[in-house]
Amino acid sequence: DFLAHEYTIKAGRDKVAEVSKKWLRIADTYGVEIEAGQNDILILAVAVAINIMVDADNKKKKDKKDKLDKGKK
């Protein structure tokens, strides 16, 4: 759920990690909990990919809003 900024990463039906965005920070901060025996590097790469997708979506929404606001002037 990209809007909630809470993500569960699964392998099949098994949870392998949880990623959550921390609010009220100057910069984006994520907490990542990785289950024992999982590929830490892969899970962190997924967390980075999630951040990139969320940032791209936020930029797209902002650009669309700015374009609409500019058209109203």
Side-chain angles (χ1 to χ4, degrees):
D1 181 358
F2 286 129
L3 297 176
H5 301 287
E6 298 285 333
Y7 314 99
T8 300
I9 301 169
K10 295 183 176 185
R13 294 180 184 227
D14 298 328
K15 178 180 77 172
V16 297
E18 289 183 338
V19 179
S20 60
K21 185 173 184 176
K22 305 297 182 190
W23 291 99
L24 304 173
R25 308 282 177 139
I26 293 173
D28 289 346
T29 303
Y30 287 86
V32 181
E33 291 186 30
I34 303 171
E35 299 294 322
Q38 299 303 317
N39 184 334
D40 297 353
I41 295 171
L42 177 61
I43 299 298
L44 292 174
V46 169
V48 169
I50 289 169
N51 186 50
I52 290 168
M53 290 186 294
V54 169
D55 283 349
D57 188 54
N58 288 341
K59 183 182 183 321
K60 185 178 176 182
K61 288 177 184 175
K62 182 185 179 304
D63 290 348
K64 185 176 181 179
K65 182 183 178 302
D66 290 348
K67 186 176 181 180
L68 289 172
D69 289 345
K70 188 176 183 180
K72 291 180 183 179
K73 293 182 181 180

